[in-house]
Amino acid sequence: MRALTPCTLHVSQSVLPQTPTISSDLGETYLYDQCLTDRKIRLLKIHPRRTDEIECSLDTISLNGDDVFHALSYAWGGPDTVQRIICNGKYIEITQNLYSALCQFREDGKLDYIWVDAICINQANLDEKTHQVRMMRRIYERAELVIAWLGVEEATDTAGFALMHQIYHRLGPVQLYQNYATIDFSQQSELGLPVYDDPQWAAFCSILYRPYFFRVWIIQEIIVARRCIFQCGGTSVPSELVLGTGGIIPHYHYLTSAVTANSPMSGDWATNTNLKSIWYMKIMHDAGTAFTIFDLLWQTRLFKASEPRDKIFGLVSLASDVEADFIDYGRDIRDLQIEITKRGLAGGFFIGATLFGYMDSELHSDDLPSWVIDWMSGGPAPTPLVAAYPYVLASLSGHSSVASRLPALSFGSSNTLRISGLIFDSIQSVVHSKPYETPTPTLMDLDNMCKHSEEMEAWEEDCWALARTACPNYEYVTGEDLMEVYWRTLIFNTSHWQTRAGPEYEKYWHVWLSAFCELNKVCATFKASKRGDPDSQPVRVLDRYPTLAMLNTILAVAYYSFRPRKAWHWLLASSIFAVANWRLSNGMSYPSKKYVEMIWMVQQIQSHQRFGDAFTESFKRFSYGRKFCTTAGGYIGWVPSTAQSGDFVCFLESGSIPFIIRKCEGGYRLLGDSYLHGLMDERRFLEFSGSNLIELV
């Protein structure tokens, strides 16, 4: 649990100035002579260079007219460093990032009228601010050009944009009709792209993770623009290139891995880039798709706003179910979030688990009722299981009418929610470690890669031991074989195509599992063989020590090709390991025939790697923010990361996805959705009957 907090990702931008600071050194002209009403806006005019100081002026126009102007999309930047410019004969202070943009525009000769929110809106006047923000969509729609300012140019930007061009022209563009869930497992050599540790990737990622791409207002500004360019210093590129690259990345496993390995962010943020969300919303908007406010809030979980209410207000104009008058800076953020959830419930958005599937109890504010979705966390969140297990149109009461399919709910005092549901099980045990939430290191960081592998192997052993405890006779409660239930549960019984996992995923599981089991031995052998070598650095290890690659290949091919947990397969793998380890430790070289065989094995392992990658994609899609568990009823599955032994499992009216709730004073706290193998099928849901009112607080 947490309290509402400002942005912590880009600390320097957590607190922003609300209005330019005005000094009276140059006369008595007031910067904002009147409050803007109707469809009037102010435009900024940059004057030609006369001195080093930036000089500009403000003029008022009506959006009903035919005035031509540009609009600036940018990140305000932190208040620690400010610069002075002259506007309407007054010195005003603006942030460094905006100052850099205005200097560049003057240098480039871009002296057209331009709309800049920090200057063109009187930020100190809440009435004007509310009125202007409600019109922002129209402002960016009317602009002849939207300039997305990424900041001053850095030394690596040329290389970063060059790689962006290469990715886009080699692999793109991605079309709307293509399955967004389709993942290509082609390797680096097949794609013709640089290896992970090529400096181009770091340069590319420094662009993707600029503060600009974490600002919630840019979504509206880019999506509705008639024409848009991205400008970095004096370099500008078309928006199709930048956004198109964002759409390509999630379709290629190698691209996702390369970006993660070179991300300047740490922890959970390293695995996420907002560019793909912007691309998705842009292409869907252009195709005429209507977004609900919940769709938009989910897509923008990783975006930030210095003003918490802007996390919501910045999306209102794009939502089909919220009107512009919802924007009101006089309202409290807590009340806004409660109203949004109530609107969803009252408006029928809640059908089955759709709405409550957005719950993230780990980052949920203590200030909010547990059933209210907290959109302010601004961090990675669990993917709702409804994405793979859509609601079923059925009722716990057994009725089939449309009316009965809507949830029986009412609001009590102190913002409690009474909803029809059925408590039928409780959590028995939970594996609390979550090493899978740490971005997987690459061979560029061998030590951390070994550590991660050890942690994943230990975690998997704990999960398997827990599953065996729940089913000591290896027969699951549904009558299925425990081994099959186990590997299906690890991936939530879904494929990387977002369909039910086929039997081939058992082979993929063995490939995935073997990577953790054997890598530890390889790392130990490598360290022992190179002990005392001052040049032993964890960078491109396999290039520098090809014998390690050979050893890894021998182990992997032996292990990947067979079903684990069979004694003679373990004996074969162990024997190969012992022979290879002995030769390596004694500095012996391999005969040329053996070397040729190993080259062939390298080619084989590359094809096997695709299988492991397919399992990884399925595993990671839903595992984030969840923990492996067993229930008192003998089920195994995944529950929210805040769940504990003794928490209850329930169905809510009209939803076939189990939810986890916790008994507390006055009722229950809602923790989130869960995957329990054998209970995600509509037929199993319909076997349950009867319901009671559950009071959520």
Side-chain angles (χ1 to χ4, degrees), residues 1 3 56 151 180 292 381 412 480 508 556 596:
M1 301 294 182
C56 56
Y180 188 63
T292 67
E480 299 170 89
Y508 300 170
V596 172

Side-chain angles (χ1 to χ4, degrees), residues 389 392 651 656 676 678-686:
Y389 294 93
V392 296
F651 282 125
S656 59
L676 297 177
L679 291 178
M680 311 302 287
D681 192 310
E682 177 181 354
R683 292 170 298 176
R684 292 286 295 164
F685 169 74
L686 294 176

Side-chain angles (χ1 to χ4, degrees), residues 320-543:
S320 61
D321 56 346
V322 181
E323 300 300 325
D325 59 7
F326 188 76
I327 298 174
D328 183 355
Y329 284 95
R331 300 188 61 184
D332 179 73
I333 182 61
R334 179 179 184 272
D335 294 339
L336 287 170
Q337 297 211 82
I338 292 174
E339 180 177 342
I340 282 182
T341 302
K342 282 186 174 181
R343 282 191 177 206
L345 294 170
F349 180 78
F350 177 84
I351 302 178
T354 305
L355 178 57
F356 290 146
Y358 291 98
M359 182 63 62
D360 180 11
S361 55
E362 186 171 21
L363 296 177
H364 194 274
S365 172
D366 293 333
D367 295 335
L368 294 172
S370 68
W371 53 271
V372 174
I373 314 301
D374 183 2
W375 302 105
M376 297 298 112
S377 61
T383 301
L385 289 170
V386 72
Y389 294 93
Y391 57 84
V392 296
L393 297 181
S395 171
L396 288 168
S397 60
H399 301 296
S400 59
S401 67
V402 173
S404 70
R405 294 198 298 263
L406 295 177
L409 60 86
S410 62
F411 300 104
S413 60
S414 303
N415 284 315
T416 61
L417 172 67
R418 299 186 184 97
I419 185 168
S420 178
L422 175 66
I423 299 174
F424 63 91
D425 204 346
S426 63
I427 298 175
Q428 183 74 31
S429 301
V430 176
V431 177
H432 288 288
S433 62
K434 299 185 293 179
Y436 43 85
E437 292 191 355
T438 302
T440 305
T442 68
L443 282 172
M444 293 185 291
D445 189 358
L446 184 62
D447 290 337
N448 280 328
M449 186 177 187
C450 295
K451 179 182 178 182
H452 180 266
S453 179
E454 291 170 356
E455 292 173 347
M456 282 297 299
E457 183 178 9
W459 173 84
E460 190 278 331
E461 290 175 352
D462 289 342
C463 293
W464 174 243
L466 200 62
R468 290 181 59 187
T469 301
C471 307
N473 297 324
Y474 283 78
E475 183 175 335
Y476 195 55
V477 291
T478 59
E480 299 170 89
D481 175 68
L482 176 60
M483 183 74 76
E484 180 176 357
V485 168
Y486 176 65
W487 67 257
R488 287 186 179 276
T489 299
L490 288 178
I491 55 174
F492 298 76
N493 200 22
T494 59
S495 72
H496 66 278
W497 296 90
Q498 298 186 15
T499 59
R500 294 297 169 265
E504 69 276 8
Y505 272 79
E506 182 175 7
K507 177 181 179 181
Y508 300 170
W509 168 54
H510 295 309
V511 175
W512 176 82
L513 185 63
S514 66
F516 306 124
C517 296
E518 299 303 326
L519 181 60
N520 299 327
K521 298 179 183 179
V522 174
C523 291
T525 301
F526 168 72
K527 291 177 180 179
S529 65
K530 306 310 295 183
R531 188 174 292 117
D533 181 359
D535 191 39
S536 181
Q537 300 294 326
V539 178
R540 301 190 67 174
V541 176
L542 297 187
D543 289 344

Side-chain angles (χ1 to χ4, degrees), residues 659-690:
F659 280 84
I660 306 301
I661 58 177
R662 177 175 298 162
K663 185 68 177 177
C664 65
E665 183 179 354
Y668 296 88
R669 290 192 65 84
L670 177 64
L671 301 184
D673 58 11
S674 65
Y675 174 90
L676 297 177
H677 190 83
L679 291 178
M680 311 302 287
D681 192 310
E682 177 181 354
R683 292 170 298 176
R684 292 286 295 164
F685 169 74
L686 294 176
E687 293 176 7
F688 291 86
S689 62

